[in-house]
Amino acid sequence: MNFKYRARAADGEIISGYVEAENQKSALNSLRSMGMIVINLNPRPQVFKNTGNVLKRIAPHKKVPSKILMVFFRQFATMLQAGLNIVTALDVITEQETNSQFKNTLLDVRARLEQGNSLSQAMSVHPEFNALMISLVEAGEEGGMLERSLEQTANLLEKQESIKSKIHSAAAYPVFVIICALVVLGIFFAVLIPKFKRVFESMKIELPSLTLKLFNAGEWVMNNFYVIAVAFVIIYIILKLLAMSSGFKNSLDRFKLKIPILKNLVTKSSMARSTRILSALISAGVPIMRGLEMAENAAGNIVIQEGFADLRTNITRGVSLGDASKQAGIFPVLISQMMRIGEETGHLDNMLERVASWYDQELDGQIKSAVSLIEPALIIFVGLIVALIVFSIFGPITSAMSQII
């Protein structure tokens, strides 16, 4: 496979390029052997030559749901703790797995185990298991505590899913209201406006400019319905292509941190996720530099990822973790202080877990506050739409009735 990487060279320069390797783990080891600190490492996108393949590229890839992975790691840990060996435990889990894609993956993992591969090596071939999962499993194998590593992986996935669900829940309500408002407007323009227009024309009422503009807008929507539909499809395709562009994503990540409310949300979400991952990896016995690399990849924002890269660079120069995080400039004071305390007491994993839990609580509170602010804004938005309809349609009706009386 061919992987696209973005890494910091030994002289501190950020470089990008491609590396050929059997899997992501091999590509990572290859880059490290060259003295590079990897920032991003992803499979190189395929170049498609026809429209059908372009559409296939734009369409979302089928992924194994996080819930299935959580259940897998939890069951796997439980069975190993009960005394079953790895192969037997995999057989039991595979037999009851209902997702055909993941079931085939487990069958292949089992086959590779019988060929002499370790569990982490067998998992690294499959994209369902990311580098974080593989690192935890590998650390568990090397430290003789695989059951604990599998349980930590399940806990980590649950916490990450919890953060995602909080954000999705906050976004669901406004999106639902906006979609309903647009549907109602569509029905209004398509069905009601033509009927009102015919009624007003038959009554020969002089219509105000607002009503005329509304009628003209409704007529334009009806006459150009297919143009609007095609425009939405084109916009969707453009957005998907932009989403695959690293340059656009980097610019968007930087823009997010310039909006005060969004900055707090992004920062707290990223810090909660990355510090919890770092805590789990350190607790499992993963080397600190490897743990920082995994936390960096999970940050979800290019600016915060660059902060982790600077942190790792400073550590290689002999700077302590607490001082390095302070020098990076992107980490809040709380994280720098807790890292320093964790280093001094020898309980860095516990300190980072406390930080992650605190940010979880802060994130939950901020999401609730955001929802409480969004609700009145949506009420005003819907109210303005209703007011526009009332003044445009019922105004002329009232005027006509007063003339008759």
Side-chain angles (χ1 to χ4, degrees), residues 301-313:
N301 184 281
I302 186 63
V303 178
I304 298 175
Q305 286 178 331
E306 289 174 351
F308 271 104
D310 290 337
L311 193 154
R312 287 192 290 147
T313 301

Side-chain angles (χ1 to χ4, degrees), residues 19 25-38 293:
V19 60
K25 183 180 177 182
S26 300
L28 198 60
N29 292 333
S30 176
L31 293 170
R32 283 179 184 162
S33 66
M34 293 187 280
M36 297 184 187
I37 298 176
V38 180
E293 188 176 322

Side-chain angles (χ1 to χ4, degrees), residues 134-378:
I134 295 166
S135 293
L136 282 167
V137 172
E138 185 178 19
E141 289 175 321
E142 292 175 356
M145 48 182 184
L146 182 57
E147 302 93 335
R148 182 184 172 190
S149 293
L150 292 172
E151 192 168 358
Q152 284 180 321
T153 305
N155 291 335
L156 204 56
L157 289 172
E158 288 174 359
K159 293 292 177 63
Q160 288 180 329
E161 195 63 26
S162 175
I163 293 175
K164 287 181 183 178
S165 65
K166 288 176 184 177
I167 296 174
H168 291 165
S169 297
Y173 175 71
V175 169
F176 174 76
V177 172
I178 291 171
I179 290 174
C180 287
L182 292 175
V183 169
V184 171
L185 277 178
I187 295 172
F188 180 75
F189 277 118
V191 179
L192 297 179
I193 280 186
K195 292 182 179 180
F196 277 114
K197 186 177 181 181
R198 288 193 295 270
V199 170
F200 288 147
E201 286 176 349
S202 65
M203 297 174 66
K204 297 181 180 180
I205 300 174
E206 185 177 349
L207 300 175
S209 60
L210 180 62
T211 306
L212 290 173
K213 288 178 181 177
L214 190 66
F215 284 166
N216 292 334
E219 188 175 351
W220 184 89
V221 169
M222 291 301 298
N223 294 335
N224 297 276
F225 175 77
Y226 294 106
V227 175
I228 296 172
V230 171
F232 273 111
V233 172
I234 292 173
I235 291 171
Y236 173 78
I237 293 172
I238 290 172
L239 290 175
K240 291 293 288 185
L241 290 174
L242 287 174
M244 290 187 285
S245 167
S246 59
F248 176 79
K249 185 180 182 302
N250 293 350
S251 300
L252 184 61
D253 283 348
R254 296 181 192 281
F255 177 72
K256 289 176 183 177
L257 295 182
K258 292 180 180 178
I259 303 173
I261 296 177
L262 191 58
K263 177 182 178 180
N264 285 334
L265 191 64
V266 171
T267 301
K268 289 175 182 177
S269 172
S270 179
M271 292 301 169
R273 182 168 55 250
S274 55
T275 52
R276 177 164 283 112
I277 285 171
L278 184 56
S279 171
L281 289 167
I282 293 172
S283 178
V286 176
I288 184 66
M289 293 300 289
R290 175 63 172 161
L292 288 170
E293 188 176 322
M294 290 293 98
E296 176 186 331
N297 292 335
N301 184 281
I302 186 63
V303 178
I304 298 175
Q305 286 178 331
E306 289 174 351
F308 271 104
D310 290 337
L311 193 154
R312 287 192 290 147
T313 301
N314 288 332
I315 289 176
T316 57
R317 294 171 181 167
V319 181
S320 68
L321 185 60
D323 291 337
S325 62
K326 188 175 181 180
Q327 293 174 16
I330 190 65
F331 298 98
V333 176
L334 174 66
I335 290 182
S336 299
Q337 291 176 340
M338 295 297 271
M339 283 183 172
R340 183 179 292 109
I341 294 171
E343 283 182 306
E344 292 173 355
T345 61
H347 297 289
L348 181 59
D349 54 344
N350 292 335
M351 294 296 106
L352 290 171
E353 179 60 33
R354 290 182 184 181
V355 170
S357 298
W358 185 83
Y359 275 117
D360 273 344
Q361 294 175 0
E362 286 288 302
L363 184 63
D364 193 32
Q366 187 170 351
I367 289 172
K368 289 178 180 177
S369 299
V371 171
S372 66
L373 291 174
I374 288 171
E375 287 178 357
L378 290 173

Side-chain angles (χ1 to χ4, degrees), residues 384-402:
L384 289 173
I385 294 175
V386 173
L388 176 66
I389 295 172
V390 169
F391 284 118
S392 301
I393 301 300
F394 294 100
I397 293 175
T398 306
S399 176
M401 290 176 66
S402 63

